[in-house]
Amino acid sequence: MTTQDIIKPENLVYAKPSIMNDNTMHYCPGCSHGVVHKLVAEVIEEMGIVDKTIGISPVGCAVFAYNYIDIDWQEAAHGRAPAMATAIKRLLPDHCVFTYQGDGDLAAIGTAETIHACNRGENIAIIFINNAIYGMTGGQMAPTTLEGMKTSTCPYGRDVTLNGYHLPIGNLVAQLEGTRYVTRQSVHTAAAVRKAKAAIKKAFENTLAPEKKGASFVEIVSTCNSGWKMSPKDANDWMVENMFKAYPIGDLKNI
Amino acid sequence: MAKIKGAVEVNTNRCKGCELCVVACPAKVLGMSKQVNAKGYNYACMVNPDACIGCASCGIVCPDGCISVYKVKIEN
Ligand SMILES: Cc1ncc(C[n+]2csc(CCOP(=O)(O)OP(=O)(O)O)c2C)c(N)n1
Ligand code: SF4
Ligand code: SF4
Ligand SMILES: [Mg+2]
């Protein structure tokens, strides 16, 4: 049997989700953002909620997320996505409303919005891409940057005496009464991607279950191979070795 | 016993040559082309097509949604 005999529509077992359109994504080759976009699109498509899902895109590399997944979107000012999601979800309570945010957006300029939206128990999903760096603006240190990790603004490594410690904001929001599901996942292997997809699905389902209130927070420990100045493969290996120690994978809360 | 055979199709225009699919494939089916696409990237291709088991690991990890995976069961 030749390759041509196998490549037929009836034998198709995997393809890009159809609501992920054909626009070329602007992300660097190998960037985790692309994988997570694909998962968000797959989950929305499989749940049959294309017409009742609203995404809030951030400021950061994912600023153009709305160009790639064909659902309704609203762009937020830097860090304000959870506040905007709060308003939209309260006005349209039967919709699945989610934010998609980087660590600079969610855990630096938007720390207050993140914590208060979670603490108010808003019925929203937060997809958090933690690559420990400001990717978009050229790889500056973020609150999430690891101790000793080199960035363009700490070229000798993050010095705790000067800059303090990496901020495990997932653990912080897990402490709050207002969160019902907090998990930390990654997308560096096929098995990890499958788990991350299940987590995103659970978070989206939670937003549509009004009998129980609370925010769902899915952190994806990610790579920014450009900002880290590594090949995509080396960035994944570096993440497993270093990021997973500071940000261990698994559920932090599930009620 | 039934045998599983797979094949992948790469959207070579969309591929950015990150090589994550090559790393993800458990059967070492994929490699990178010598040619470049319109964006200037070497793109992924099957260098060992007979080994493909249609597991879709490559497609699942591809950040740009470039890979479609096909699978057949051959009864003998
Ligand atoms: C009010 C405001 N302050 C600062 C900036 C500059 N800025 C743009 S993106 C960004 C950080 C992005 O980092 P992150 O959220 O981690 O996203 P990534 O690019 O890493 O995915 C900053 C500081 C801005 N656009 N607006
Ligand atoms: S700069 Fe980093 S986060 Fe931004 S697209 Fe490139 S790899 Fe991804
Ligand atoms: S993972 Fe996707 S973008 Fe990267 S080399 Fe393979 S097909 Fe190309
Ligand atoms: Mg970042």
Side-chain angles (χ1 to χ4, degrees), chain B residues 52-66:
Chain B
C52 180
I53 51 172
C55 69
S57 294
C58 55
I60 290 168
V61 302
C62 173
D64 286 276
C66 307

Side-chain angles (χ1 to χ4, degrees), chain A residues 207-250:
Chain A
T207 69
L208 295 171
E211 65 284 356
K212 220 161 131 191
K213 226 172 96 71
S216 299
F217 186 99
V218 181
E219 174 173 348
I220 312 282
V221 180
S222 298
T223 65
C224 168
N225 60 78
S226 287
W228 295 2
K229 307 201 188 313
M230 294 175 198
S231 71
K233 180 196 178 297
D234 289 350
N236 273 342
D237 293 346
W238 193 90
M239 173 181 76
V240 171
E241 205 169 302
N242 299 281
M243 295 277 282
F244 286 7
K245 284 192 196 115
Y247 302 111
I249 302 300

Side-chain angles (χ1 to χ4, degrees), chain A residues 1 3 6-8 11-14 16 21-25 27 29-31 34-35 38 189-190 193-194 236, chain B residues 6-9 14 16 18 20 23 39 41 46 56-57 59-65 67-72:
Chain A
M1 186 169 260
T3 299
I6 303 170
I7 298 183
K8 288 192 176 137
N11 300 330
L12 184 71
V13 290
Y14 183 86
K16 153 173 103 56
N21 59 38
D22 290 332
N23 293 340
T24 300
M25 293 196 283
Y27 299 115
C31 175
V35 186
K38 212 171 56 172
T189 63
V193 174
R194 287 196 180 93
N236 273 342
Chain B
V8 307
E9 201 173 36
R14 204 174 156 90
K16 293 180 186 160
C18 72
L20 290 180
V23 179
K39 298 190 195 87
Y41 295 120
M46 288 202 287
S57 294
I60 290 168
V61 302
C62 173
D64 286 276
I67 299 182
S68 298
V69 183
Y70 300 82
K71 185 156 92 172
V72 288

Side-chain angles (χ1 to χ4, degrees), chain A:
Chain A
M1 186 169 260
T2 67
T3 299
Q4 250 45 52
D5 297 327
I6 303 170
I7 298 183
K8 288 192 176 137
E10 63 269 28
N11 300 330
L12 184 71
V13 290
Y14 183 86
K16 153 173 103 56
S18 59
I19 61 165
M20 174 175 254
N21 59 38
D22 290 332
N23 293 340
T24 300
M25 293 196 283
H26 67 285
Y27 299 115
C28 304
C31 175
S32 307
H33 274 299
V35 186
V36 183
H37 278 32
K38 212 171 56 172
L39 295 185
V40 166
E42 280 176 12
V43 167
I44 293 169
E45 206 162 276
E46 285 167 23
M47 286 175 68
I49 53 170
V50 176
D51 294 332
K52 47 186 290 198
T53 303
I54 300 170
I56 321 294
S57 58
V59 171
C61 278
V63 65
F64 294 135
Y66 50 76
N67 282 337
Y68 309 130
I69 304 174
D70 290 336
I71 55 166
D72 286 333
W73 288 90
Q74 176 67 52
E75 171 64 46
H78 204 4
R80 312 312 184 221
M84 192 161 262
T86 298
I88 293 174
K89 180 65 180 174
R90 287 184 180 201
L91 288 167
L92 299 168
D94 63 332
H95 279 57
C96 168
V97 180
F98 74 95
T99 72
Y100 183 105
Q101 303 174 258
D103 48 311
D105 192 81
L106 179 145
I109 194 168
T111 311
E113 282 76 7
T114 304
I115 286 178
H116 289 298
C118 287
N119 193 49
R120 289 192 306 269
E122 302 297 341
N123 240 345
I124 58 172
I126 295 175
I127 311 296
F128 169 37
I129 308 299
N130 182 4
N131 55 18
I133 207 165
Y134 293 177
M136 184 199 204
T137 44
Q140 291 84 357
M141 177 172 52
T144 43
T145 298
L146 305 183
E147 294 77 7
M149 181 176 173
K150 290 181 178 140
T151 72
S152 60
T153 47
C154 52
Y156 304 108
R158 181 177 188 156
D159 174 359
V160 293
T161 61
L162 206 59
N163 308 312
Y165 305 88
H166 76 275
L167 183 70
I169 195 156
N171 299 70
L172 296 184
V173 299
Q175 301 293 312
L176 304 173
E177 289 286 335
T179 48
R180 62 188 280 193
Y181 179 48
V182 182
T183 188
R184 199 179 274 130
Q185 302 292 333
S186 71
V187 292
H188 64 302
T189 63
V193 174
R194 287 196 180 93
K195 286 190 195 143
K197 180 176 172 182
I200 293 171
K201 185 161 188 218
K202 184 172 177 50
F204 282 19
E205 283 168 353
N206 283 351
T207 69
L208 295 171
E211 65 284 356
K212 220 161 131 191
K213 226 172 96 71
S216 299
F217 186 99
V218 181
E219 174 173 348
I220 312 282
V221 180
S222 298
T223 65
C224 168
N225 60 78
S226 287
W228 295 2
K229 307 201 188 313
M230 294 175 198
S231 71
K233 180 196 178 297
D234 289 350
N236 273 342
D237 293 346
W238 193 90
M239 173 181 76
V240 171
E241 205 169 302
N242 299 281
M243 295 277 282
F244 286 7
K245 284 192 196 115
Y247 302 111
I249 302 300
D251 285 355
L252 293 159
K253 183 180 197 175
N254 187 3
I255 51 173

